[in-house]
Amino acid sequence: MKFSVTVTLKKDVLDPQGKVVQNTLISLGINLKNIRQGKYFEIEIDEKELSVAEKKIEEMCNKLLVNLIIEDYKIKKL
């Protein structure tokens, strides 16, 4: 079973890397209002039952992949 996890900084958290990317794109002549950087994971798990697989992915996020203090995440089955 395959899942994607998208991790983004919470809206109130400053994103210095995103700001550098934004400034660089603007200097290249690309007009944009805002850009934020995040992380993306594709996880293939050896599990047949969907609910068990989702719980394991959630556990991975909570224990290692996501800093819950400053980041949000979304899990999607692929």
Side-chain angles (χ1 to χ4, degrees):
M1 216 172 283
K2 199 170 186 179
F3 293 85
S4 71
V5 177
T6 304
V7 182
T8 55
L9 288 170
K10 293 184 178 190
K11 291 184 182 194
D12 295 336
V13 176
L14 294 177
D15 181 8
Q17 290 177 312
K19 192 57 76 179
V20 169
V21 172
Q22 178 178 341
N23 291 339
T24 303
L25 289 171
I26 290 171
S27 72
L28 292 172
I30 299 170
N31 189 18
L32 61 104
K33 188 172 182 178
N34 192 30
I35 188 167
R36 292 182 61 87
Q37 186 169 299
K39 299 182 279 189
Y40 176 78
F41 300 94
E42 281 190 4
I43 303 168
E44 196 164 344
I45 188 167
D46 189 18
E47 181 59 58
K48 297 197 181 346
E49 192 173 326
L50 178 61
S51 63
V52 173
E54 288 174 331
K55 284 180 185 175
K56 287 182 179 180
I57 298 294
E58 186 85 26
E59 183 179 354
M60 288 179 205
C61 291
N62 290 325
K63 287 187 174 181
L64 179 67
L65 302 179
V66 180
N67 179 342
L68 297 173
I69 295 169
I70 62 168
E71 295 175 321
D72 290 323
Y73 65 97
K74 294 179 196 169
I75 298 171
K76 180 179 174 183
K77 185 177 180 316
L78 300 176

